[in-house]
Structures are given as structure tokens and as C-alpha cells.
Amino acid sequence: MIKKWLFVFVVFLNHIVAAQHVVLISIDGLRPEMYRDKSWPTPNLQMLMKQGVYANHIKSVFPSFTYPSHTAMLTGALPARSGICYNAASTGSAWNWFTKDIKVPTLWQAIKQNGLTSSAVEWPVSVSDDITYNIPEIWNTKTPEDRITEVRKYATRGLIEEIEEHATGKLNGDNMNEEYLSLDENAGRMAAYIFKTYKPNLLCVHFAEVDGMEHEFGREGDSVRLAVATADHAIGDILEAIERSGMKDSTTVIIVGDHGFSDIHEAIFPNTWLVKKGLHGFFFQPAGGSAFLYLKDPGNKALLDSIRTVLKNLPQATRKKFRIIEKPELIKMGADKDAVMALAAIPGIIFGGAADKESKPVSGGHHGYDPNIPEMYTGFIAAGAGINKGKAIHELCVTDIASLIAKLLGLQFNAPPFLFSCF
């Protein structure tokens, strides 16, 4: 751990760290080639690479999902410690929108305790009173595409109305809609206005549309490139706001992703395998490229052995589509401590929760796989105050972001200990 952070300090940080502001920008579904390959429409990302440092790749959490990954960035904690193990608490339940459900301290809390200010725009798990200027990510589950109507109930009082008057115009379920790229355009305008007007010490903004287009069209869809171009342009708006604010020399910009993507062609349903063998009273919870087993009695060794036997005796054509992750490895990976076993699919395969079918064809893209699979690698760039120029590192973890931000801002923030290391 000590050697790791000495290495990161030397590669990334100037010997005198002098950031007063950090802007953390998440591009959901960002893949390293989107900035490393010049054919991608990312001039702002590629400029930041030249001005600062970047990682060849960054690893997500397990499962490689949006909400546990974003929580790791603001806590330094893997899901087992943070308590945010999935996007939603369980299949069919409400999403993990509220920071009260995070079981470890957050950077937002540390900033507030130190008399500094923070802001979040469309950031996962950010409904909280700890954030000074907050436009959280939350929606009505009956109209999930509308990303502003429900937000108004939880945003900092008067902030959205102020932004509508001075930056975006009237926001509604059409121009803040997950189906359209204007969602990211307006999120960028919001973040730019907040930084220029209020100059928070930490600003976190989340762009969602790259993820949405990869889900629908797969890794290489034309709409994915359009979404990437939109996110890059929104980042340009934020960079311009930083310059106009007069804070450029004291601001660090960090670009990070939460997970990669795999093209998919088949969904398989492990609960069906068990029901057909007469095994009931428990379930595999699907998480894209993984599925986690929960038992009412986790100590029921006989039942667990029966489940292993069912999995072992599947036809080889099915069995080769996934590997079994037992409890010791789950602990090492920092996954949900209540799960007794997990299945990790090969790229192209996802899991479903139904118990009345064995498989079905699917298309598009997904994540949730073992973060060690290259398709799940995501991205990292940092530039500005306190950051060296022209450096690169092979690999980081999303859990490293919290400690990096704390170091840049001079905060005393004791991130939970690592349960595994990327190095």
C-alpha cells in the first residue's frame, strides 16, 4: 500500500500539491480507447492527456456497475465496505439514490467538515444534505426517462431555477431525458455555471449517455460515437468555465469512467437450472455479466453443495459460458459480503433472473462482468493544479480516486483499507 501511493505520488502529483478546486467528471461507460485512439471524437480528452497524465486503464468494482463504482470514487471503498453493491438494493427495488445508505465516510462529508464547499450534478448516490450545490441523480420509477422532475424535490433550493434563468433555459422531461443526448449537454451547462458562479472546492458531474448508447447499440455503434462527442463537448464547456472563472491555475480536472462494456448476444438464466432440479427458496441476483447467490441460511452447506452439483453437471456448452466464484474470492474482490457465491460470465453472455427459461438471444452491450476482464477496463485522465505533465501509468482502480482527490485538496481523509490491489 505504501509503495503503491509513493508510486502514484511520483507519477501523478507535483511535489507541492496546490489545488484549491477539483472537478471530477465521470463518463459512464468510458473505455480507454476513447481517448487513447485519435479516431474517437474526443479533442478535449486528448488535449487533457497531453497537458497531464492518464492511465492505460482503470479497474472497476465487482460487479462492474455504475452506482457501486461511483461510490468507490467518493469513499475509496469497495462494495463490501461501502454497502452500495448494485445500482438497486435488489432486483425490482428502488435504486441506491441516497448517501445515507453509504456505510463509510464520503469526500462530501470530509469537505463539509473542513469548511469547504462541494457540488454534484447528476452524480449517482448523491441525494444528500452534505453537498453544498446539489442536483442529484434520481427519478420517478414510473417515468425513468425523465431526469429532472423528481430531481427538483431533492436539489439545493432555488439552484435549478437559477441555472434555468442564467444557463440552460427551462428544463423538462424532454431536454433532460435519458433517451437523448441533450441530457449530457445540459448537465455540462449546469456544471459549468455552478463552477463559474460558486467555485466549489469539489465539483462532481456525471455524463450518462455513452453508457445508454452502448447498452442499446453495443461498443461500436455510431450513436456511441455521437454520445462520446457530446460528452467531450460538454467537458469543453466546463473547461471554458474554469478558465473564465480565473481559477484555472488552482484547479485539477479528473476524467474517470466507471466500467467498460461488452457486446452481448445471449442471456442465460441460472435460477431455471436450480428450479428444474427441485431447488427452491434462494436466488441468483443477476448483475449483467455476473450473478450473485443469496441463501436464507448462508450456513446451509448441504444446499450449497447441491447447487454446486447442479452447476457442475450442466452441459459443457453451457458450463463454459461462466466461471464460479466462491466466497473467499468474493471477499478478496470486495463484493457483497452477503453473497455466498457468484457466477462470472465470459464476454458476450449476461445473466437474467427468470426461472422459466434457460436462455434467449439478446443484442447491444452490457457490463457487470469481473473487472479483471479487459472489456471492463475504463478510463482515467488528470490535468491541472498539482498534476505532472506527460506521464502515464499502466493501471489504477476506481477506489484510488478518493485518496487522490483528498491529497490534491489537502484533506485528512482515511479511505477504508484496500481489500485487493490492482498492482
Side-chain angles (χ1 to χ4, degrees):
M1 180 68 177
I2 294 174
K3 289 181 179 179
K4 174 182 177 179
W5 270 102
L6 283 174
F7 179 63
V8 171
F9 183 87
V10 170
V11 172
F12 284 118
L13 303 177
N14 293 331
H15 293 295
I16 299 175
V17 178
Q20 296 178 24
H21 310 275
V22 173
V23 177
L24 177 63
I25 300 172
S26 161
I27 302 176
D28 205 311
L30 175 69
R31 309 194 320 259
E33 63 266 30
M34 291 172 176
Y35 54 86
R36 297 185 64 196
D37 181 346
K38 291 184 179 180
S39 71
W40 283 86
T42 53
N44 285 301
L45 295 188
Q46 292 172 35
M47 176 189 68
L48 289 170
M49 280 181 63
K50 295 176 183 177
Q51 293 178 350
V53 299
Y54 69 94
N56 290 333
H57 66 261
I58 185 170
K59 285 187 180 180
S60 186
V61 298
F62 187 53
S64 44
F65 260 34
T66 296
Y67 278 37
S69 180
H70 280 80
T71 302
M73 297 177 203
L74 271 295
T75 63
L78 294 165
R81 296 294 299 273
S82 74
I84 306 300
C85 300
Y86 305 98
N87 290 350
S90 61
T91 303
S93 68
W95 283 47
N96 289 310
W97 289 311
F98 298 88
T99 59
K100 65 180 177 58
D101 296 322
I102 300 175
K103 297 179 179 178
V104 294
T106 67
L107 276 175
W108 291 317
Q109 292 168 333
I111 284 171
K112 184 177 181 180
Q113 291 164 4
N114 281 271
L116 304 177
T117 59
S118 62
S119 180
V121 177
E122 296 291 322
W123 192 270
V125 202
S126 67
V127 179
S128 171
D129 292 333
D130 293 322
I131 303 168
T132 318
Y133 310 104
N134 195 11
I135 302 175
E137 179 172 277
I138 188 170
W139 57 85
N140 187 321
T141 54
K142 295 179 181 179
T143 54
E145 68 282 352
D146 178 352
R147 297 302 175 89
I148 193 62
T149 301
E150 190 74 7
V151 173
R152 292 180 187 275
K153 301 176 184 178
Y154 298 95
T156 301
R157 182 174 296 181
L159 182 59
I160 292 178
E161 292 76 14
E162 180 183 341
I163 288 172
E164 287 176 321
E165 180 179 354
H166 297 289
T168 63
K170 187 67 176 177
L171 298 171
N172 54 45
D174 290 327
N175 56 28
M176 289 293 289
N177 187 307
E178 72 160 348
E179 301 294 328
Y180 301 103
L181 299 180
S182 57
L183 175 65
D184 284 355
E185 292 175 349
N186 280 319
R189 293 183 185 116
M190 289 178 176
Y193 176 83
I194 290 170
F195 189 89
K196 186 172 183 293
T197 305
Y198 295 106
K199 302 175 178 61
N201 299 101
L202 175 63
L203 167 62
C204 304
V205 57
H206 170 230
F207 295 127
E209 288 302 306
V210 173
D211 172 270
M213 294 305 173
E214 287 180 293
H215 273 295
E216 186 169 358
F217 300 105
R219 288 168 59 95
E220 302 301 328
D222 290 341
S223 293
V224 175
R225 288 184 175 264
L226 289 173
V228 169
T230 299
D232 189 84
H233 184 268
I235 289 168
D237 290 341
I238 296 170
L239 296 177
E240 183 176 297
I242 294 170
E243 187 163 358
R244 286 177 177 271
S245 72
M247 297 290 110
K248 183 176 179 180
D249 290 343
S250 60
T251 300
T252 309
V253 176
I254 300 173
I255 311 292
V256 69
D258 53 351
H259 54 70
F261 255 86
S262 171
D263 291 328
I264 58 173
H265 61 269
E266 182 183 10
I268 56 178
F269 300 87
N271 291 322
T272 300
W273 308 331
L274 306 180
V275 169
K276 283 188 172 182
K277 295 298 183 180
L279 299 176
H280 303 275
F282 49 87
F283 64 97
F284 275 103
Q285 176 167 316
S290 58
F292 294 77
L293 178 65
Y294 296 88
L295 302 181
K296 292 181 178 179
D297 177 10
N300 190 334
K301 185 176 182 300
L303 178 57
L304 192 54
D305 285 342
S306 296
I307 294 169
R308 289 191 183 101
T309 298
V310 171
L311 297 174
K312 180 181 177 181
N313 292 332
L314 288 169
Q316 182 59 27
T318 300
R319 183 65 189 83
K320 69 182 183 180
K321 295 174 182 176
F322 65 90
R323 73 181 183 94
I324 298 172
I325 300 180
E326 297 284 2
K327 185 71 173 182
E329 187 176 357
L330 286 178
I331 293 172
K332 183 180 179 183
M333 296 175 77
D336 186 359
K337 56 189 176 185
D338 292 330
V340 297
M341 175 193 292
L343 308 180
I346 62 173
I349 305 295
I350 58 171
F351 294 101
D356 60 352
K357 65 188 78 173
E358 291 201 16
S359 67
K360 72 173 184 180
V362 293
S363 61
H366 217 313
H367 46 92
Y369 297 83
D370 180 341
N372 295 293
I373 293 174
E375 284 89 341
M376 289 303 102
Y377 291 168
T378 185
F380 173 91
I381 304 169
I387 301 294
N388 283 317
K389 182 178 180 180
K391 302 288 185 178
I393 192 171
H394 177 61
E395 182 176 271
L396 285 171
C397 295
V398 289
T399 49
D400 295 322
I401 303 303
S403 293
L404 177 59
I405 292 172
K407 183 69 177 178
L408 286 163
L409 291 176
L411 294 173
Q412 293 295 321
F413 184 71
N414 295 319
F418 286 88
L419 297 184
F420 79 101
S421 173
C422 287
F423 293 88

